[in-house]
């Protein structure tokens, strides 16, 4: 079983739809969780990060973490064509120096 | 504010030729630095990371090497490129452990270099 699983998509939705992107993980020691957005041929940019279970909201984006189920989600409300990109989840351990473990990314296509 | 630069943006090289990709960070001191490769369908693969000048950790054995000659400069090299070295190479930085605000150690990525080995 891979440490982080993420459906590669593509996920196609019409403009204005609510989008749900998800990752599951196997290592219960992961404590910090991040979502990156990557446009084609560009470097990933950090969208959101969270530590605790529960929801964190930033504009149209909501990150949700359920540590008991080892499941994280990113919700996008009122999706726009400019949201079309690949979304990568990432996570890391708590103590000491540790590198990030990334999902492979989900491609999202929002049609006007 | 911090910025990260990578060059070149695109590179086409023949098999067996050498490689040198450069990454520099501005606006912070003593950052952690990372080199990743992203190949289609394989996600982000961490190649090297560095917590200070001259300190390099390798994650994946291969014909690539990394060096950190200055605090905010990170170089990825190869003596002889292979076809399998083609990919999108990304440099990233994060605040070091113990620095204010570094608890998350979130990584910030550069624009990337697209390498095609023919």
């Amino acid at each position: 079983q891979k440490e982080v699983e993420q459906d590669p998509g593509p996920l196609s939705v019409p403009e204005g739809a609510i989008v749900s992107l998800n990752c599951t993980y196997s290592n219960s020691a992961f404590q910090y969780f991040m979502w990156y957005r990557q446009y084609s041929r560009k470097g990933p940019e950090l969208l959101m990060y969270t530590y605790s279970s529960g929801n964190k909201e930033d504009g149209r984006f909501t990150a949700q973490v359920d540590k008991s189920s080892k499941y994280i989600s990113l919700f996008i409300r009122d999706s726009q064509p400019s949201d079309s990109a690949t979304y990568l989840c990432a996570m890391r351990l708590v103590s000491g120096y540790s590198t990030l473990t990334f999902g492979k990314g989900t491609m999202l296509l929002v049609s006007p | 504010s911090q910025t990260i630069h990578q060059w070149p943006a695109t590179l086409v090289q023949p098999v067996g030729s050498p490689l040198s990709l450069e990454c520099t960070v501005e606006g912070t001191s003593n950052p952690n630095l990372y080199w990743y490769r992203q190949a289609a369908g394989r996600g982000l693969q961490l190649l090297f990371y560095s917590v200070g000048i001259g300190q390099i950790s390798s994650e994946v054995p291969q014909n690539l090497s990394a060096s950190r000659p200055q605090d905010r400069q990170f170089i990825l090299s190869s003596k002889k490129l292979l076809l399998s070295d083609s990919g999108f190479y990304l440099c990233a930085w994060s605040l070091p452990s113990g620095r204010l605000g570094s608890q998350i150690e979130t990584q910030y990525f550069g624009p990337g270099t697209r390498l095609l080995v023919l």
Side-chain angles (χ1 to χ4, degrees):
Chain A
Q1 182 185 13
K2 295 179 181 175
E3 276 200 295
V4 180
E5 300 271 9
Q6 189 176 7
D7 188 326
L11 175 63
S12 295
V13 301
E15 183 176 356
I18 297 175
V19 175
S20 173
L21 303 165
N22 311 296
C23 286
T24 59
Y25 60 97
S26 57
N27 188 348
S28 58
F30 285 130
Q31 295 294 324
Y32 292 106
F33 304 91
M34 282 139 274
W35 284 98
Y36 287 83
R37 177 176 62 196
Q38 185 176 22
Y39 291 113
S40 180
R41 297 180 174 270
K42 302 291 185 183
E45 57 178 319
L46 179 68
L47 272 180
M48 298 187 72
Y49 66 84
T50 185
Y51 169 69
S52 57
S53 283
N55 294 351
K56 181 178 180 180
E57 189 173 319
D58 183 3
R60 296 186 295 113
F61 299 90
T62 299
Q64 186 178 80
V65 174
D66 183 347
K67 291 184 179 178
S68 62
S69 301
K70 299 197 206 97
Y71 188 88
I72 68 171
S73 299
L74 178 71
F75 298 97
I76 307 175
R77 293 186 299 279
D78 187 25
S79 57
Q80 303 294 311
S82 58
D83 295 327
S84 298
T86 296
Y87 291 80
L88 300 144
C89 64
M91 47 200 78
R92 65 167 284 255
L93 307 174
V94 175
S95 59
Y97 173 82
S98 69
T99 54
L100 293 180
T101 300
F102 285 86
K104 289 187 176 182
T106 298
M107 180 183 293
L108 171 66
L109 302 172
V110 182
S111 54
Chain B
S1 64
Q2 300 86 3
T3 56
I4 179 169
H5 304 279
Q6 280 187 251
W7 63 91
T10 305
L11 191 59
V12 180
Q13 291 285 90
V15 170
S17 64
L19 173 73
S20 180
L21 302 181
E22 189 164 342
C23 169
T24 59
V25 179
E26 295 177 357
T28 187
S29 59
N30 195 29
N32 294 333
L33 296 172
Y34 312 81
W35 277 113
Y36 288 88
R37 177 169 57 206
Q38 189 175 37
R42 297 191 62 185
L44 281 166
Q45 180 186 33
L46 179 64
L47 303 174
F48 302 95
Y49 66 87
S50 171
V51 298
I53 295 174
Q55 301 178 62
I56 309 294
S57 297
S58 174
E59 291 291 304
V60 182
Q62 56 212 329
N63 70 321
L64 298 173
S65 62
S67 62
R68 185 170 177 174
Q70 299 181 43
D71 181 44
R72 290 169 289 176
Q73 183 185 31
F74 206 21
I75 297 172
L76 183 69
S77 304
S78 175
K79 292 182 179 179
K80 288 185 178 182
L81 284 168
L82 307 173
L83 287 173
S84 57
D85 291 324
S86 293
F88 190 41
Y89 288 82
L90 290 156
C91 182
W93 72 273
S94 69
L95 289 172
S97 298
R99 285 270 294 276
L100 183 64
S102 70
Q103 296 89 342
I104 300 298
E105 281 191 26
T106 305
Q107 294 178 19
Y108 299 91
F109 288 84
T113 295
R114 192 160 300 277
L115 172 66
L116 179 60
V117 182
L118 300 175

